Amino acid sequence: MQQEAPTGGGGEAGEPLEVWIDQDLCTGDGICVQYAPEVFELDIDGLAYVKSPEDELLQDAGATTPVPLTLLQDVVDSAKECPGDCIHVRRVSDRVEVFGPDAE
């Protein structure tokens, strides 16, 4: 079951969010893993990927995972601190990015 999280981009509180990583821009610094190891993981290729709620590494391009409310701030901090600007957090309902390089 997907947990709901407040948005930072003018959406309604409690609106579900998801996160994905653009591996083409990932620098492999691992800052995201330091902030939210429950959500992000470095793979053997040295790039970061999101993990499913069941802790499975999601390696498909554009794969998303829900952002649990309890980890929202850690995921947002990951997006803000990422040197590759490759972490995207968006609303599930309309896919509008609310944190990350393309946030409005």
Side-chain angles (χ1 to χ4, degrees), residues 11-36:
E12 293 296 317
E15 195 166 353
L17 300 177
E18 62 188 5
V19 60
W20 67 282
I21 296 176
D22 182 343
Q23 278 77 31
D24 290 338
L25 300 176
C26 180
T27 58
D29 287 89
I31 291 172
C32 55
V33 177
Q34 292 175 19
Y35 276 108

Side-chain angles (χ1 to χ4, degrees), residues 79-99:
K80 289 180 179 177
E81 298 299 323
C82 177
D85 282 333
C86 64
I87 299 173
H88 304 265
V89 182
R90 65 187 179 199
R91 291 190 299 257
V92 172
S93 63
D94 59 8
R95 299 172 60 100
V96 170
E97 188 162 319
V98 293
F99 299 105

Side-chain angles (χ1 to χ4, degrees), residues 31-93:
I31 291 172
C32 55
V33 177
Q34 292 175 19
Y35 276 108
E38 304 89 346
V39 176
F40 305 106
E41 183 176 324
L42 289 176
D43 196 17
I44 194 166
D45 63 5
L47 301 178
Y49 294 85
V50 295
K51 298 192 297 186
S52 73
E54 294 78 31
D55 207 37
E56 177 188 352
L57 194 65
L58 303 176
Q59 295 175 297
D60 292 336
T64 65
T65 196
V67 178
L69 178 59
T70 55
L71 298 175
L72 176 59
Q73 192 59 55
D74 293 334
V75 171
V76 169
D77 289 343
S78 296
K80 289 180 179 177
E81 298 299 323
C82 177
D85 282 333
C86 64
I87 299 173
H88 304 265
V89 182
R90 65 187 179 199
R91 291 190 299 257
V92 172
S93 63

